[in-house]
Amino acid sequence: MASTATATKLSSGHEMPAVGLGVWRMDSAAVRGLIHSALRAGYRHFDCAADYKNEAEVGDALAEAFQTGLVKREDLFITTKLWNSDHGHVVEACKDSLKKLRLDYLDLYLIHFPVATKHTGVGTTGSALGDDGVLDIDTTITLETTWHAMEDLVSMGLVRSIGISNYDIFLTRDCLAYAKIKPAVNQIETHPYFQRDSLVKFCQKHGISVTAHTPLGGSTANTEWFGSVSCLDDPVIKVSITNRDNVSLAEKYGKTPAQLVLRWGLQRNTVVIPPRPPR
């Protein structure tokens, strides 16, 4: 296979490790052990979010790692995200995440989703419903307003790079049109079963790095929620076939299905953040 970069240079001038650990669905009680194990295994990039509701546990794990000399803060790349209900309170939400993570600055702060919902209190990450049972969307806050507030975080020294998440081509194009600071990253779902070539190529053409937030196909969550088959179980990738002329890719390269799928993502020049260190 072709060689892949170990880090990607962002438009902000900073470098982001090409492989990170996503803490989504990570049980709070397991955070410390998983993060310390990841650090010892060489991980230096951690992807968090206010909505994951474990920023405080991540912060405790990182603080212990710094105190014991396991790693230095300047060696890490820490991402977290603005939740939908805090679009009108960007600075306060960022400071709340920094406090929970026990950090002085973030390497990357993302708008988690391109929608503003009713504010439920900074850091509460609520998804309030209206009287009709439908998500209560705040139509008074534009994505442009939110983005300019994100830009303020950079000038305040709270954040080194800012970006977007779950934006399609049209919303990404609009952001480029009104941005004073171009989004450094667009974090999206992309994997062999959902390749999104047009969006990936558009972002990369315009200097926006792409992070795959479900590089393994979201196997656990998607199976649980939608009953879909994981790409890790695809016979082309996984199953050992006896016919020597028709072997699986995993068998051909002597790798696990997870390693194969992650390498596919890296060779597209996307950053991959699997939910925990692949075995």
Side-chain angles (χ1 to χ4, degrees), residues 135-166:
L135 185 65
D136 198 346
I137 294 176
D138 188 339
T139 58
T140 69
I141 303 173
T142 67
L143 292 177
E144 180 175 357
T145 298
T146 301
W147 185 254
H148 291 321
M150 296 282 286
E151 292 172 328
D152 290 340
L153 299 175
V154 178
S155 61
M156 295 171 67
L158 299 176
V159 175
R160 289 187 169 180
S161 303
I162 52 176
I164 54 183
S165 181
N166 299 303

Side-chain angles (χ1 to χ4, degrees), residues 99-255:
K99 181 179 179 180
K100 290 173 179 174
L101 290 166
R102 301 174 66 174
L103 299 174
D104 295 325
Y105 68 90
L106 295 169
D107 295 281
L108 177 64
Y109 196 48
L110 304 176
I111 298 175
H112 203 149
F113 285 96
V115 60
T117 60
K118 180 180 178 181
H119 184 58
T120 56
V122 170
T124 60
T125 64
S127 295
L129 302 181
D131 294 336
D132 56 1
V134 177
L135 185 65
D136 198 346
I137 294 176
D138 188 339
T139 58
T140 69
I141 303 173
T142 67
L143 292 177
E144 180 175 357
T145 298
T146 301
W147 185 254
H148 291 321
M150 296 282 286
E151 292 172 328
D152 290 340
L153 299 175
V154 178
S155 61
M156 295 171 67
L158 299 176
V159 175
R160 289 187 169 180
S161 303
I162 52 176
I164 54 183
S165 181
N166 299 303
Y167 276 50
D168 62 17
I169 285 181
F170 305 106
L171 292 175
T172 304
R173 180 267 170 203
D174 284 351
C175 189
L176 287 170
Y178 55 67
K180 297 176 182 177
I181 300 176
K182 179 166 64 176
V185 170
N186 187 7
Q187 186 178 124
I188 60 172
E189 178 178 0
T190 178
H191 47 77
Y193 276 8
F194 194 34
Q195 299 186 14
R196 310 182 79 177
D197 270 349
S198 295
L199 176 56
V200 171
K201 290 176 180 177
F202 177 86
C203 288
Q204 292 175 340
K205 178 179 180 178
H206 292 279
I208 303 173
S209 296
V210 174
T211 297
H213 64 57
T214 43
L216 299 177
S219 55
T220 301
N222 286 354
T223 300
E224 176 184 323
W225 294 344
F226 312 119
S228 57
V229 177
S230 166
C231 61
L232 300 184
D233 294 321
D234 191 310
V236 174
I237 296 172
K238 178 182 179 182
V239 177
S240 176
I241 302 173
T242 55
N243 183 345
R244 292 185 179 180
D245 295 327
N246 191 24
V247 297
S248 70
L249 292 173
E251 185 178 54
K252 177 180 179 180
Y253 292 108
K255 304 294 183 181

